[in-house]
Amino acid sequence: MSDAKVDILLLGSGGREHALLAKLAESPRAGKLYVAPGNGGMNALAEPVELDIESPVDVANWAREHAVGLVVIGPEAPLVAGVADAVRSAGIPCFGPNGKAAQMEGSKKFAKQVMSRAGVPTAAYRTFTDEASCAEYVEREGAPIVIKADGLAAGKGVIVAKTTEEALEGVHECFSGAFGEAGTTVVVEETLEGPECSLLALTDGTTVVPLATAQDHKRALDGDRGPNTGGMGVYSPVPEHLVSAEELAAMVDIEKRVVAELASEGIIYSGCLYGGFMLTKDGPKVLEFNARFGDPETQVVLPRMKADLVDVFLACDSGTLSEDMVSWDDDWAVSVVLTSAGYPGSYEKGKVITGIERAEELPGVTVYHAGTALRDGELVTNGGRVLDVTAVAPTFEEARAQAYRACELIDFEGKTYRSDIGIRAIKQ
């Protein structure tokens, strides 16, 4: 590996991107750091750039003009738009899959077809392009049943229906344009039972390096009640009584089979492949694949990772990734998401945030910014998920207690959070 400095452009503005930026900044190879658009916390580490991050031409041109040596794509929309293709065509290394490979997230139908050809266990499904036949099928199958908009719906567009009436409402919502283009094709799936687990893996299209396990908490309220959100908290690693060594090996094998299947079809998947799994009584089954790092999983996985992220991302791009480039410390990480009142529904922005510096004085605590902005020199809320309060400690109980201590030190009007993140790991 070279030790030359590399200027880096990171696309995105959430907690995931702040965690990626912080890890990239640790690398001795990190040169000048740019973010587009960034947020109130990222802009302290990197220079913010005004750029249409979903425009392949704009991103590639800007990166070439500024002699950037690595472009890192955080969110899914630029990946599906083909930004990685344009950046690589400009001769610039890029972390993130090309447009075809990103269809693993961009089209649930495409992902299901790849899984079928790879022999990967997933929920039985049917796809529909008209509301009448979809509704007829749902009425025949009955509930519980899962309705999914095929395309990108910003974390929405998945209805886990407990009644046929709910399912039919979900079908109508998709076809009525609630999720835009994403809902023109609808995937109807059987409901899988069991705990969920996320597994992120880095790949160069041939070698697959699994990252540490993490368990997200999707529901808005304590006790896994309330609507689904983008994630209210997460911890890593997942203890063996929740994910056995056999289940982990099966999940890794599934991700390797998907990457190999894509390669056999002429699609080189380079970047992060994120599998969402349901641990059923028949073994792990895939709920969905995402084409990028998870959010908030990244905020607990990267702090535990021992690796030079610049070298690793360049190796993913150049086809030279090896398993020995990544190792893990034995600490535990817990992250609690502080949200705006009303999230995931409507919420107000512009509330002044205080206490982050005090929180970060606690040992092992890092506060990643998600929905924040600087306004007249003040840090204010600028989204539903505002901050990811992450603590790393030698034991799970210490990490959890420290994360919640830090949450209490931070304040903004309407601050809400779940009080039971990770409690299932202790209970059992």
Side-chain angles (χ1 to χ4, degrees), residues 386-406:
V386 178
L387 298 166
D388 299 284
V389 182
T390 302
V392 177
T395 69
F396 178 79
E397 289 80 0
E398 283 177 77
R400 188 174 181 278
Q402 195 75 316
Y404 276 107
R405 271 194 287 272

Side-chain angles (χ1 to χ4, degrees), residues 10-23:
L10 172 64
L11 307 184
S13 61
R16 163 185 54 215
E17 285 80 26
H18 193 181
L20 283 165
L21 185 67
K23 195 71 176 177

